[in-house]
Amino acid sequence: MLRIAEPYITWGYPNLKSVRELIYKRGYVKHSRQRVPITDNFVIERKLRKAHNIQCVEDLVHEIFTVGPNFKYASNFLWPFKLNTPTGGWRKKANHYVNGGDFGNREDKINRLLRKMV
């Protein structure tokens, strides 16, 4: 499946700072089938505290970054991130990252791209 979608996506291994920045700036949760912004810890505490022991935004960041035992529930609780195009635009959308393009595995260089997109 990844081979089919590869020419259209880019991926990598974000660091803790990037994950925290994404959740704080672009984080929304699913609540009653609606997109609700993460404004305070009560939004998270209301759904995930009792069953999964996630009480605040930092617990959610930790669970997502470390892929802990409750990762499935934490990632399903988050709404997919809506990102802008990178500041300065794309280089070459048609070429692989290894060949000077934009799609494919960026490994740890995804952090630079995320900074431009958030």
Side-chain angles (χ1 to χ4, degrees), residues 12-47:
Y13 314 112
N15 59 19
L16 180 61
K17 182 180 177 186
S18 296
V19 172
R20 183 176 287 128
E21 192 173 284
L22 272 173
I23 291 176
Y24 274 105
K25 289 187 178 179
R26 300 287 178 138
Y28 288 85
V29 298
K30 297 175 188 173
H31 180 66
S32 300
R33 298 184 184 206
Q34 292 184 349
R35 185 175 178 240
V36 178
I38 299 175
T39 54
D40 57 356
N41 290 333
F42 181 70
V43 175
I44 295 168
E45 191 174 333
R46 180 175 46 203
K47 283 280 198 178

Side-chain angles (χ1 to χ4, degrees), residues 6 21 23 39 51 60 70 75 94 100 106:
E6 186 178 14
E21 192 173 284
I23 291 176
T39 54
L60 185 64
N70 297 316
S75 66
R106 292 176 177 256

Side-chain angles (χ1 to χ4, degrees), residues 10-16 18 97 104-115:
T10 186
W11 67 92
Y13 314 112
N15 59 19
L16 180 61
S18 296
Y97 183 72
N105 189 1
R106 292 176 177 256
E107 295 182 356
D108 61 339
K109 293 179 178 70
I110 193 77
N111 298 310
R112 192 173 341 139
L113 178 67
L114 283 174
R115 301 270 183 286

